[in-house]
Amino acid sequence: MAQRKKRGKAAKAAYFVSSGNGNYVYTGPLYSIIAGSGLTARQISMRRLLFCGCITALSLLCGLLPVPGMSNTFYVIIPYAGALIFGAVSLWKAARVAYWGGDKLREYVYESTVKQIPVLTLFCAVFAGISVIGEGLCLVFEKADPSSIPPAIVFILAHAVILVLALVERRFESKLEWGNH
């Protein structure tokens, strides 16, 4: 009968060994960048934080704009919320990698951050694209007040920038090769 793979804290606990003085030492695999962009781990972490931070900040700023689609239109509000949530989660994951140093990551940190950032940024890009389409449809088919057209154009352009930033970050993250030691 095959043994079950441990999950959660039980899986991580196997990698910690008591050092004798009451402290525990991590003895599990460490992941580091093997090849990729030619940048240092710190530069990669800063770039990741910059892109994910810009995505989240632009999403937050779009929520402050008085656009017609954000008042009561589900096909604009739901994609906006999706882009905001996935952008914020990717920023959180990027900050967690930066906190751990980014050079040598423990296996459980690598699994819960680096492997998930490309997927999170892809979802963010998809929701930003749907948000652009939704706001465009809202402008075309609903009678919008002429004073709300400039904020709607800013909203559409900002979400287009979010889409591009998320796709660029996803591509960058996908090109990095990580290996365990």
Side-chain angles (χ1 to χ4, degrees), residues 109-177:
V109 174
Y110 169 78
E111 295 285 333
S112 67
T113 57
V114 173
K115 286 181 75 174
Q116 293 179 2
I117 290 175
V119 176
L120 292 169
T121 53
L122 177 65
F123 281 132
C124 183
V126 167
F127 279 117
I130 294 171
S131 190
V132 166
I133 293 168
E135 185 62 33
L137 289 174
C138 186
L139 281 178
V140 170
F141 293 119
E142 294 183 12
K143 294 179 182 175
D145 181 28
S147 66
S148 66
I149 292 175
I153 291 172
V154 170
F155 182 89
I156 290 171
L157 290 175
H159 270 82
V161 170
I162 291 169
L163 177 109
V164 169
L165 285 173
L167 290 177
V168 167
E169 179 61 21
R170 182 189 189 293
R171 183 170 182 201
F172 178 77
E173 292 289 335
S174 299
K175 284 186 175 183
L176 295 176
E177 292 181 34

Side-chain angles (χ1 to χ4, degrees), residues 1 15 18 22 29 44 80 83 89 103 115 127-129 133 141 164 173:
M1 185 174 191
Y15 293 133
S18 179
I44 290 171
Y80 162 75
V89 171
D103 188 24
K115 286 181 75 174
F127 279 117
I133 293 168
F141 293 119
V164 169
E173 292 289 335

